[in-house]
Structures are given as C-alpha cells and as structure tokens.
Amino acid sequence: MLLKGNGPKVLGVYLGHDLGACLLCDGQIAVMIEEERLTRFKHGYPNYVAGIWDQFAGKFGYFPWASVSYCLETAGLGIDDLDLMVLSDNNWAEAAAETIRSIIPIKDRSKVIFMTGLEKVVHHYHHALSSFMASPFSEAAVLVVDGAGNIGEDGFEAETGYLFENRSGKYREVFKNCYDPQHFPWNGLGWMYELVTLLLGFSNSKTLMPDSGKTMGLAAYGQASPEFKEPWIQYDGFELNFSGFHHWLKESGHDFGALFQKRGLAKQGKEISQYAKDLAFKVQAELETLMIHLAEELYQQTGARNLCLAGGVALNSVTNGLIAAKGPFEQIFIQPAANDAGQAIGLAYHGHLLLTSPSHFHTNSSINAYQERQTETKLDNDASKIKPIKHIYGGRQYSLDEIRQLLVKSELPFEELSNDTELTEDVANELANFRIIGWFQGGSEYGPRALGHRSILANPSSFETKPKLNARVKFREMFRPFAPSVLRERVNDVFELNQESPYMLLVAPVRTSWQERVPAITHVDGTARIQTVDAEVLPLFHRLISSFEQRSGIPLVLNTSFNLRGMPIVESPRDALQCFLYTDMDNLYLERFKIKRPDPSHLFPSLLPEWRMVAEQERETGQQVLTFCSSSSSQIIEIDATAELIPFFEMLDGNCSIATAYQYVKHNENVVTDLVKIVQSLVRQGAMQLRVGTLTFGLPTKSRKLDMIPKSG
C-alpha cells in the first residue's frame, strides 16, 4: 500500500496493556494493528515484559516495535515520513518520555509527542475521540466507562461523559467520576465488574487480565437470588456510591487474596455452582442498570440525539443492546476496539487535530516545536478531513504469491480455486455439510471480534455444532455462546433488531420462530450477539452467506474468532495455518487456496528440549500414565497411556511422522485419530512443536529480536 495525498500522517502508539499502533493519513485510518497479533501474546505482551529486551530492561516496559514497523511497512512509509508520532499510556510514559524518545530512530525528535494533558488525565478523552471521530455523527454525546483511566489529582478516571459538538474537535466534558486509588476495593463500574470476574476465576493465566466476556456469558445462566437481594450501587445523577458492593464483599469474605486464588468460584467443581451463576447475573444486572441510568442522565444534560460508547465496558454487548433498545438516543455507535486497543486510534485522531486545529487542544513544548515547523512547511491540513470509518479491516493484505510460497514450504496438498464465485460456492457447500471452516481473507480486523476476515465458520442449524466446535476447535467453556453473522437485509427477519450491528457489539433476542432453526447461535436466554453483513462493505462474506442461504434457507452463519483459546486472533497466513494444524477444523481457506485436514503422514511432532516424558504406573489402579514435565516451569501434563504409547512418543523426534510412529501401536482403527488429538493437545500446551515440510510451529517464547525496530530514513 503506497499512500498518496499531502495531508497529515500521524502514528498513534499506545503503551499500556492491549498496546498497538494506528496510522492515520489524511484523517482516515490507513493501518491499525494490535501488538498481540504480531507477538502472539494475548494483550500484547507476556507478564515478564521488564526484561524482554536486554537493551531496555530497567528503563521502561515493552514498546510496540512490531506494531510501529507493521504500520509503516504496510503503508510504504519511513518513520521520517511521519508528521507526528503521538504516544501515551496509563503509567510510565511521561516519566520515561526522554528515554523512549532517545531510542526512536527518527531524525526530528520533536515529532514525538507524549500526551499527558493539562491535568495528566487524557485516557478517557482518547477513548472518546476514538469512538466519536470513527462514528458517522456530526455531533454526539459520548459515554466512556472502563476499569481505570489516568490518575489525576482527584483519583483515577472510571466514568466520564462528553458532548462533541462538531468534527473539528469542539467538545465539553459533562461529568467525570474519579475514585481514590488508595482505597481497596476500588470504586467504579468497570472495576466492580472486573473484580467479580476475578472472583469467578476468569482471567488470562499469563497476564492475569480479567476475561469479562465470560462473566457476561455466564450471567444468562443465573437468576435473581436472595443472597444478592440488596443493591450494590446507589446513584444520584452522575454520582455513584459503591458502599453496598463493598459491604457485600466484606460480608462474603472476598478479600484481596481471593482475587488471585487458583480456583475461582466458577471453577470449584466439575459443574459451575448456582451461586457462581447468580453472582454473574447480579453483577451484570447492576452494570446494566447503571449504564442505562448514566446514558439517560447524559441525554438529559446534553439533549444529543446520538450516543457513542467507549472504554472496556463498551464491549459488554448485552448492555449495549439494552441501551440501544431502551435508551433515549436515536442512534448508538460503538467503536469496535472499544477497549484500550482503541487508545492508539484516539491518539492518532488527537495528533491530527493538533496539527489542524491546535487551539482546541492541550499543548506542550514538543507540540509548539511542531507548530513552528508547520508554519514553515505549510502542510495541507484540514480538520474536516477526519472521516468516519467505513470498515474496521486495518491490517495488510497478503498476496496470493505469499500464501502459495507458504503452502509449498508446508508440503501440504492444496487447491487453488479459480475465482471468488467458486470460492464462496465451495465454502457454502462445506458449511451445508456441517464442516468447520477456517476463513482467512483480506486485511485483519482491529478489536476483539472476528468480523469475516479472520473467522472460523460453521453451520448454525444443528444442536451438535456448538459442542463439536468446543471439543474440536475452540476448547472453551460450554456456557459461552457463539455469535451469528447475518445478511444485513435479513437481520430483522431473524432477530428483534431494527438497526445495523456491523461490529458484533449488540445483543438482541432471536425471534421465537427461529430459535430452534439456529440453535448453535442462540444463547440460553434466547439472545445472540449479532454482526450484520453489508454487501457494500463485505461483498465476499455477503456472497458466501447468500450462497449458504440458497442451500439451507438460513441467512446467517456461525462466526467465531480464528484463534485458540487464550491466544490472539490470527494475523498472518502462517498464524492461520498453525491454528488449523493445532485443531480439528475440516478445511482452511487462505484467500482462494483450500487446504483440507492433513493426513498424519504430513505431521512431524517433537518434544521441546526443556520437556521430558516420564512413564509411571498408578498404585491404586495400575493404570499407565505418561507425564510430561517442563524444566523451565512448573507445568506438568498427564495423559492416560498404554504400553504401546511409550515407543510412539519416543519415536516422535521431528523426523518421524505420526503415521510412521503409529504403525508400532497395535490398536483399533480409531487410534490414529486419537493419537493426532493427543499430539495436538501437547502442542497447544507448549510441550511439543510440529513440523510440516520445512515449517516448524510452536507456541511463542520469551525471546524477541530487535530486527523489528523501524530504520530511520
């Protein structure tokens, strides 16, 4: 992609969790990527970031070099072609500003600006910018709610309301709720939801980040309970009082240590207790009540017809659906990267506005230096050039030649389909036959949802689809729902939804007449999280769903993210091929290339050097057990074994295929499939790596090279 035009080229770089970069050119998002898509670590980095690169250890945390390089390379720019590079985070960016600026290989370092604001509270402002400027609105109220924003004199940001009056950046702050960071448990809607999520045991094991989407999914299985009868939050206007929540925590004995126990309330038995389900129901109900209340208050104070939502809480699609259905606003917009990944977008928008209408925004010495240079160069800047987003596919396009070369290296059989019509017809046939499909097309989406470019697709019409997906591909909890992608023109036929939902951020009821026709996407409460597919925005995906409807009479497909549980959505063809090999998807489509599930003769696994295999016999049962132990961590994996499995695994040295090794295992015909699944499980857990052809796949490691740093000039 070679960019044209003389307008501002601004790179927004966010340095907190969910870090990444966004390149804005002429007021339009040109490239957007989250660091996690490139490092393959969820939320962008592992929990040992302080020493990830020796050159920077002790100076500051992890800098998203991969995202910065990706944006520049995709756009065909050098780092010195930028007019502004705008950085921010929640913690250390200002203190480390000079250190960071000194190692960024840009000739004019005054182009590197750190956003802290007049009162060092800009996190929510950037959330608001990321949503309003991306929206189609010329004016709107904006409600920002997350766990914790910047810390200022009044405490940390938690809930903030704005009124944006035009697309030149004129705005006013309507309210801001800040809370004391020294007071634990913290106050705030986002923090309340995150704390309950941690109590339930839903968090990423590597980063300890709460997985709030699981709480939202579990809530539908709960009900109002006498144990949670008392309200947790009192409110008066915009002011919120969390004393009821604190009282419940104290009376229930859930202190700080309870947040980090190994087994949360939802993981203390084979079945999730009704108490845990009711707790999820309670926190979801409290959130819904207060979010609707804040939206109504914001409407009363502003009189705006349109509402934008931002912050991590705006990913709660159940609440969003209720605000859209019951709230006073005529239209609602949620930017798809509503969590902190969207900070990079807000920073880029802020930089553009600084260049084009600086009188509206905060200034510092770096900005003043740039403005002097701007006067000399007379750049063609116009704030009105900030345009609403047309789509959210900010990643690079991988060419057919790149994909073909990858597949040749893999030595896997593949077929190249002749055109898009043959492609969509072929996939529709496979879906009609209830096969699970990996679908990789175009540039990647930004935000946490797969929206038709990096998706796993399935037929929604069978009750067996959901358990099959979980058992063979996603390996996740059964209470979590799967979502539909539906033709935009048919959405109201199937769902009680009268507006677009292009980013899968609205939940609405499935019409009663359709619930048994599409059980795989109907949640236990009769709802679904919906993506509407517009033929003008997503022509290929729309054609695929239309072809499927011709065969099935169903104008939607099940669409879940193309990733393994706990890992980021795939970015590259190699990532997609790896995920395909690690699971039991039936077919993978990389653009127009079709790859079927490979024969075991093509799979060459091997135990990683730091792992060893130990064969033991249980005293009580006499059952043979194979234990895989890691010398670099405390991780232990046990599998039930027979005597034949020991030589099987001993043969897997990376040069012996599964097909060759299983010849030594004298079992029934199903043993081959079982052994492939065991190997896939060990690979997914990091004990083994897998070679196909000349390609070797393993989980990401701590080591990172500095060759991702962009070169000056």
Side-chain angles (χ1 to χ4, degrees):
M1 178 198 304
L2 293 176
L3 296 176
K4 300 178 181 179
N6 297 319
K9 297 177 179 63
V10 181
L11 187 68
V13 183
Y14 183 60
L15 308 175
H17 66 77
D18 297 298
L19 69 174
C22 175
L23 179 63
L24 196 72
C25 297
D26 296 329
Q28 186 76 52
I29 294 176
V31 190
M32 163 65 189
I33 191 71
E34 298 169 51
E35 189 78 358
E36 68 170 31
R37 303 293 182 92
L38 305 172
T39 65
R40 309 309 300 155
F41 283 104
K42 193 68 176 172
H43 303 295
Y45 50 73
N47 59 359
Y48 38 72
V49 296
I52 197 164
W53 286 326
D54 294 338
Q55 287 89 331
F56 305 139
K59 294 182 179 179
F60 57 89
Y62 180 85
F63 191 88
W65 293 117
S67 298
V68 170
S69 296
Y70 179 99
C71 287
L72 295 175
E73 182 179 350
T74 300
L77 297 176
I79 196 167
D80 291 304
D81 294 323
L82 296 174
D83 295 308
L84 214 56
M85 189 172 181
V86 189
L87 298 87
S88 182
D89 84 331
N90 282 358
N91 302 306
W92 46 260
E94 183 184 19
E98 291 308 314
T99 301
I100 297 172
R101 187 181 284 112
S102 70
I103 56 89
I104 293 176
I106 191 169
K107 293 177 181 177
D108 186 348
R109 301 197 188 282
S110 69
K111 291 183 179 182
V112 182
I113 295 177
F114 292 83
M115 290 301 178
T116 57
L118 293 176
E119 299 179 358
K120 302 180 182 179
V121 180
V122 294
H123 187 81
H124 276 202
Y125 172 66
H126 290 136
H127 270 314
L129 271 181
S130 76
S131 190
F132 173 71
M133 289 298 179
S135 79
F137 307 140
S138 58
E139 58 81 29
V142 184
L143 179 60
V144 180
V145 182
D146 63 5
N150 288 136
I151 298 176
E153 293 180 359
D154 297 326
F156 65 85
E157 302 172 287
E159 302 98 22
T160 309
Y162 301 89
L163 176 65
F164 278 79
E165 300 179 20
N166 58 44
R167 297 190 66 83
S168 295
K170 185 179 181 181
Y171 79 100
R172 66 180 174 91
E173 186 180 285
V174 180
F175 81 96
K176 183 182 290 290
N177 290 337
C178 294
Y179 303 103
D180 182 2
Q182 303 301 319
H183 181 281
F184 186 85
W186 285 0
N187 291 311
L189 289 175
W191 171 246
M192 174 194 69
Y193 205 93
E194 289 187 359
L195 192 150
V196 171
T197 296
L198 291 171
L199 287 174
L200 289 169
F202 300 145
S203 65
N204 184 289
S205 60
K206 293 182 179 179
T207 63
L208 301 181
M209 293 285 292
D211 195 342
S212 299
K214 294 183 180 181
T215 303
M216 183 178 70
L218 183 62
Y221 290 83
Q223 57 190 358
S225 166
E227 294 179 271
F228 305 109
K229 180 177 65 174
E230 298 300 323
W232 281 356
I233 308 169
Q234 302 290 335
Y235 52 88
D236 181 11
F238 293 117
E239 186 176 341
L240 308 182
N241 184 321
F242 291 84
S243 58
F245 178 57
H246 296 162
H247 177 76
W248 172 79
L249 283 172
K250 182 178 180 180
E251 293 298 311
S252 302
H254 298 311
D255 59 8
F256 184 80
L259 299 181
F260 303 104
Q261 57 187 349
K262 291 185 178 180
R263 299 184 68 83
L265 297 174
K267 298 183 176 182
Q268 295 182 351
K270 292 183 178 180
E271 300 292 332
I272 299 176
S273 68
Q274 191 60 45
Y275 179 86
K277 296 174 183 177
D278 293 347
L279 176 57
F281 177 89
K282 172 65 173 178
V283 74
Q284 178 67 28
E286 292 281 338
L287 180 71
E288 292 167 5
T289 298
L290 269 298
M291 286 292 289
I292 291 172
H293 167 73
L294 290 177
E296 290 174 343
E297 284 291 316
L298 194 56
Y299 175 78
Q300 293 296 327
Q301 292 291 325
T302 64
R305 296 179 302 162
N306 307 310
L307 175 67
C308 297
L309 295 174
V313 173
L315 293 178
N316 192 297
S317 49
V318 175
T319 300
N320 296 343
L322 292 174
I323 293 174
K326 299 181 179 181
F329 293 93
E330 294 178 14
Q331 298 182 86
I332 181 174
F333 177 86
I334 308 109
Q335 191 266 111
N339 61 347
D340 277 10
Q343 284 284 305
I345 300 173
L347 286 162
Y349 283 143
H350 194 166
H352 179 97
L353 290 167
L354 282 168
L355 298 180
T356 57
S357 51
S359 61
H360 293 303
F361 295 90
H362 311 313
T363 60
N364 58 31
S365 59
S366 296
I367 295 172
N368 288 331
Y370 179 82
Q371 290 171 359
E372 292 177 4
R373 184 173 64 255
Q374 179 190 16
T375 302
E376 297 173 2
T377 57
K378 297 181 180 179
L379 289 173
D380 178 18
N381 296 323
D382 182 357
S384 65
K385 285 186 178 180
I386 289 191
K387 306 171 185 68
I389 59 173
K390 297 179 181 178
H391 59 76
I392 46 79
Y393 306 101
R396 59 160 290 201
Q397 175 89 37
Y398 294 87
S399 70
L400 293 179
D401 283 343
E402 287 179 282
I403 298 172
R404 186 182 294 106
Q405 290 174 21
L406 175 76
L407 294 177
V408 169
K409 289 179 180 178
S410 76
E411 299 179 9
L412 297 173
F414 64 90
E415 175 186 1
E416 183 173 0
L417 303 172
S418 59
N419 53 49
D420 288 346
T421 299
E422 185 179 3
L423 170 64
T424 54
E425 293 290 320
D426 193 82
V427 177
N429 281 331
E430 298 286 5
L431 290 173
N433 288 311
F434 295 94
R435 294 191 175 93
I436 300 172
I437 301 302
W439 177 253
F440 180 103
Q441 305 292 325
S444 58
E445 306 92 334
Y446 52 83
R449 306 287 178 241
L451 300 171
H453 279 202
R454 301 290 187 275
S455 295
I456 295 172
L457 307 177
N459 189 321
S461 67
S462 171
F463 285 93
E464 298 301 318
T465 297
K466 182 177 177 180
K468 185 168 72 170
L469 261 175
N470 276 324
R472 291 175 46 186
V473 179
K474 297 296 284 189
F475 312 105
R476 68 185 198 181
E477 300 89 345
M478 284 299 296
F479 65 81
R480 297 173 64 185
F482 288 108
S485 293
V486 60
L487 299 176
R488 175 189 173 189
E489 60 271 23
R490 295 293 309 281
V491 61
N492 191 245
D493 296 339
V494 184
F495 305 99
E496 295 179 20
L497 184 67
N498 294 313
Q499 66 179 81
E500 290 185 76
S501 178
Y503 308 129
M504 207 180 276
L505 286 172
L506 295 178
V507 165
V510 182
R511 294 193 181 278
T512 305
S513 60
W514 276 89
Q515 289 185 12
E516 290 196 358
R517 294 185 65 184
V518 287
I521 58 88
T522 302
H523 199 25
V524 66
D525 60 356
T527 65
R529 189 181 74 232
I530 301 160
Q531 178 198 8
T532 52
V533 179
D534 189 321
E536 293 186 4
V537 178
L538 280 170
L540 187 66
F541 198 36
H542 189 279
R543 186 185 301 178
L544 165 58
I545 299 172
S546 298
S547 297
F548 177 70
E549 183 184 19
Q550 292 173 5
R551 290 159 175 78
S552 65
I554 298 172
L556 61 94
V557 295
L558 183 153
N559 176 9
T560 187
S561 55
F562 200 153
N563 67 317
L564 293 171
R565 185 179 71 170
M567 289 193 68
I569 296 174
V570 301
E571 161 58 25
S572 68
R574 182 187 173 100
D575 297 336
L577 182 60
Q578 178 179 14
C579 186
F580 176 65
L581 293 171
Y582 283 17
T583 65
D584 276 339
M585 280 182 262
D586 294 297
N587 297 302
L588 170 62
Y589 292 84
L590 297 174
E591 297 291 346
R592 295 206 304 264
F593 294 99
K594 179 181 181 180
I595 306 97
K596 295 183 179 180
R597 191 190 310 172
D599 185 87
S601 62
H602 292 282
L603 307 178
F604 296 81
S606 59
L607 204 63
L608 289 171
E610 63 267 28
W611 286 79
R612 62 189 179 91
M613 180 181 69
V614 179
E616 299 175 325
Q617 193 172 40
E618 289 187 349
R619 292 181 180 179
E620 296 181 0
T621 64
Q623 173 69 42
Q624 192 87 14
V625 175
L626 281 182
T627 302
F628 295 84
C629 309
S630 171
S631 61
S632 61
S633 70
S634 59
Q635 189 176 0
I636 296 175
I637 305 169
E638 291 185 351
I639 61 173
D640 293 335
T642 60
E644 293 93 337
L645 278 183
I646 297 173
F648 169 79
F649 279 105
E650 288 176 341
M651 292 185 67
L652 297 180
D653 60 356
N655 296 310
C656 176
S657 73
I658 293 176
T660 300
Y662 77 64
Q663 293 177 6
Y664 292 84
V665 182
K666 309 301 182 183
H667 263 304
N668 58 47
E669 295 179 356
N670 294 325
V671 71
V672 181
T673 301
D674 293 339
L675 291 176
V676 171
K677 289 181 179 179
I678 292 172
V679 169
Q680 287 175 330
S681 176
L682 291 169
V683 170
R684 288 194 300 269
Q685 295 179 77
M688 302 189 83
Q689 60 186 6
L690 183 65
R691 180 175 68 82
V692 289
T694 61
L695 303 175
T696 300
F697 297 97
L699 293 183
T701 63
K702 295 182 182 181
S703 62
R704 284 286 177 270
K705 296 182 179 180
L706 287 173
D707 56 7
M708 290 184 289
I709 296 181
K711 301 298 188 292
S712 179

